[in-house]
Amino acid sequence: MTATDDLAERLRTHFPDVQLARDEVTVIVPAEEIVASLEYLRSDTDLGFDFLSDLSATDWPDRVPRFWLAYQLYSVPHRHRMRVKVGLAEEEPRVDTVTGLYPTADWLEREVFDFFGVVFDGHPDLRRIIMPDDWEGFPLRKDYSLGGVGTQYKGGAFIPPVDERGM
């Protein structure tokens, strides 16, 4: 049994949905349980996931739930890692902030908000981080226009913007 298998088995005693694929452990929890789940993973001395190394989002327009958040956790004392995933509804994608547990979540949550429109309830400063404040929409949603600009080449060749190409 590998260290990753052992970690997955320990997590199965507390979480009903633990997946092991490609030597990576993923726990899927309901959105309303994200803070309690991460608090457990951080405070349990045998697990000790004391560092949130990344938070990312994906958009699956034809699936329910449409949006998925992936919290990448690392344990400095035990030197193991895992991810916690949360699915969010299309109508109102929102989840509680985890900035109280992991200070790195501050900017990570703002980035997901900026690009996907996910609202993190209780975030201390939830505002755009990269896009201009007056930008309309969320550019990493799959229903957002690809846009771009046309490219004019010497000799007359022209390639239209991505969203105007007939493919």
Side-chain angles (χ1 to χ4, degrees):
M1 182 179 278
T2 68
T4 309
D5 292 326
D6 182 50
L7 175 61
E9 286 307 310
R10 283 189 282 161
L11 292 169
R12 284 187 179 104
T13 64
H14 188 81
F15 296 99
D17 194 350
V18 177
Q19 300 176 4
L20 181 61
R22 296 188 176 116
D23 209 33
E24 296 178 351
V25 178
T26 302
V27 172
I28 299 174
V29 299
E32 60 274 6
E33 294 178 16
I34 188 61
V35 174
S37 298
L38 294 183
E39 190 168 27
Y40 169 77
L41 292 167
R42 180 183 172 99
S43 63
D44 184 286
T45 54
D46 291 333
L47 299 171
F49 287 100
D50 53 352
F51 180 57
L52 174 66
S53 60
D54 195 21
L55 168 60
S56 60
T58 53
D59 179 8
W60 299 90
D62 298 328
R63 296 186 187 173
V64 175
R66 175 177 174 173
F67 299 101
W68 282 91
L69 302 180
Y71 297 79
Q72 305 291 337
L73 302 176
Y74 182 72
S75 172
V76 174
H78 302 293
R79 298 187 347 206
H80 53 220
R81 61 184 68 242
M82 66 170 293
R83 91 177 43 86
V84 177
K85 291 178 77 174
V86 172
L88 302 175
E90 177 177 6
E91 302 78 39
E92 195 175 350
R94 59 186 325 124
V95 66
D96 289 335
T97 184
V98 297
T99 55
L101 293 171
Y102 298 104
T104 55
D106 187 341
W107 285 59
L108 299 171
E109 289 177 352
R110 283 179 62 190
E111 183 179 43
V112 170
F113 166 73
D114 196 5
F115 289 135
F116 289 91
V118 173
V119 174
F120 292 89
D121 293 323
H123 189 282
D125 189 22
L126 192 61
R127 59 188 165 98
R128 291 204 182 264
I129 193 169
I130 295 174
M131 303 303 292
D133 290 337
D134 60 349
W135 190 272
E136 291 185 25
F138 305 101
L140 290 184
R141 285 190 178 187
K142 296 214 175 145
D143 55 3
Y144 194 81
S145 170
L146 293 176
V149 296
T151 305
Q152 182 73 50
Y153 291 94
K154 290 181 182 177
F158 178 76
I159 298 177
V162 175
D163 60 348
E164 293 178 17
R165 295 179 194 166
M167 294 185 180

